[in-house]
Amino acid sequence: MSCSLCRLPFTVSSSSISPQPPPPGILTEKQFLYMKHAVGMGEHTPGLVVDMVNLNNNTFTVNNSTMLINIIWETNDTTFVALHPHCATILRHHLGYTTNSPEHLIELSLLDKIVGPTMGGVHAGRFKDINYEGILGKGDKNRVDIESFWSKDGNECPGFDWLGWQRRGLDWTAARPDVFPRFRPQVAPTRISSLGLIPQSTEDIITTQPLDVLHVLLPYLDPKSFVNLLSTCRTLRHHALTTFQPQARTQVLKLGWAVPTEVEYASFVRRNPPPPAATSPTSSSTETSPPSCDKPSEADAASATPRPETSDTPPEPAKDQPDFSLVTMAHAAHSPADADWYLYLSQVHRSQGMRARRWVWALAEEVTRVYHKKRAAGPYAPVVDADGKETKSPKWKAYAQHVQQPLMMRPFMTGAVGPAKGGAKRFTW
């Protein structure tokens, strides 16, 4: 049983009748616990989009439900879409369906109808028209082939060659893609003082140029070249930590995957609320807890407020409101332009989690590209009237009516209404 985006397996709950865990030492305990969770979506999924746990034997169960519900994953050589939690978060971000409004849930349940049904058999869960293996570019060095480690023996469910996957050096793909480097809203004074004395005069062709020349040049560099250039001498390193921090910010934001989605950011802020602006601590005491490994809750997803992705000037906080400029997670609008973006740019290229995130991000972009192309050419495309106003197509409206019953079941399964709301026991796996 595998994720339709990253193609890695789901590990199994301890409540599984016949668990088949990976060999010891392959995954960490946190990875194992994380990878048993799924977000299932589809026409025949109760609730259309729900959190699930893998029970093996071709079945998932709805997690934290007020009732015990098991769902068969593969039937008639096809599957419903199941994604690891942060694969789902990233894909929903790209598709633009980040809330749990009825419209967004209906759109997500249409994913396999629009992109094409996910496959069965040895390729169970895979979308047919997605270039999974070459998503990071051409050449063997960029090829990420997870599919080759799946095999099927007779009528058994497909098995995954964990040892072969590890030997191939692909174990980084199982790193959590939601663990970000700590963002520093101010440049630590020790970082600048560690450079020592800055030469008063230089003779090389770069540092003798007016800074305006470098301001024009730097946006044309890729992140690696940007960091390499500004690391070549003490003078440029000093400018990197001071003058060129807004340039480093631009480099970070251009990457896309290097900053959290609005849902991830909202979830982090709820766990690590910033202090009020009137009582904001000084730079020596601005550290808060590092990003948690918890996945965003449905409340986080529903209440995340979209903010501009390219604003150059962070808004001034009101005196009685939290000072979001002190949040230790990068944000396009909240984080100061002169924060230590240069350090952050370097760190997002070092961790396995960010490497995995870049890969998952690219996969989500490809699925989204195929989705929009096929949706525009299919029966679920919006209809434009004579005044240029878009409305839902008759096919979409008919489908929305068709899935009203499973949509109505969702609040009961998620505990939004019913006995669990009053404290009754819920099924938690």
Side-chain angles (χ1 to χ4, degrees), residues 38-76:
V39 176
M41 53 185 70
E43 173 186 3
H44 301 294
T45 304
L48 298 187
V49 181
V50 289
D51 294 334
M52 300 178 172
V53 171
N54 177 22
L55 290 183
N56 212 4
N57 293 326
N58 196 32
T59 60
F60 285 95
T61 185
V62 178
N63 199 33
N64 291 322
S65 175
T66 57
M67 59 192 84
L68 183 60
I69 302 176
N70 285 1
I71 307 172
I72 296 176
W73 180 55
E74 180 181 0
T75 54
N76 299 324

Side-chain angles (χ1 to χ4, degrees), residues 369-387:
R369 183 192 67 80
V370 174
Y371 168 86
H372 285 304
K373 179 180 178 181
K374 291 191 173 185
R375 191 175 195 268
Y380 297 103
V383 176
V384 181
D385 62 20
D387 297 326

Side-chain angles (χ1 to χ4, degrees), residues 9-14 16-28 32-33 35-36 54-56 159-163:
F10 292 100
T11 55
V12 294
S13 165
S14 58
S16 172
I17 297 175
S18 57
Q20 297 175 342
I26 293 289
L27 299 175
T28 67
F32 183 88
L33 292 175
M35 293 177 69
K36 75 178 183 179
N54 177 22
L55 290 183
N56 212 4
F160 190 74
D161 181 7
W162 288 101
L163 293 175

Side-chain angles (χ1 to χ4, degrees), residues 168-186:
R168 193 81 63 84
L170 291 173
D171 46 351
W172 61 267
T173 58
R176 291 285 299 268
D178 61 314
V179 181
F180 294 85
R182 179 183 176 277
F183 181 78
R184 288 166 170 78
Q186 293 90 18

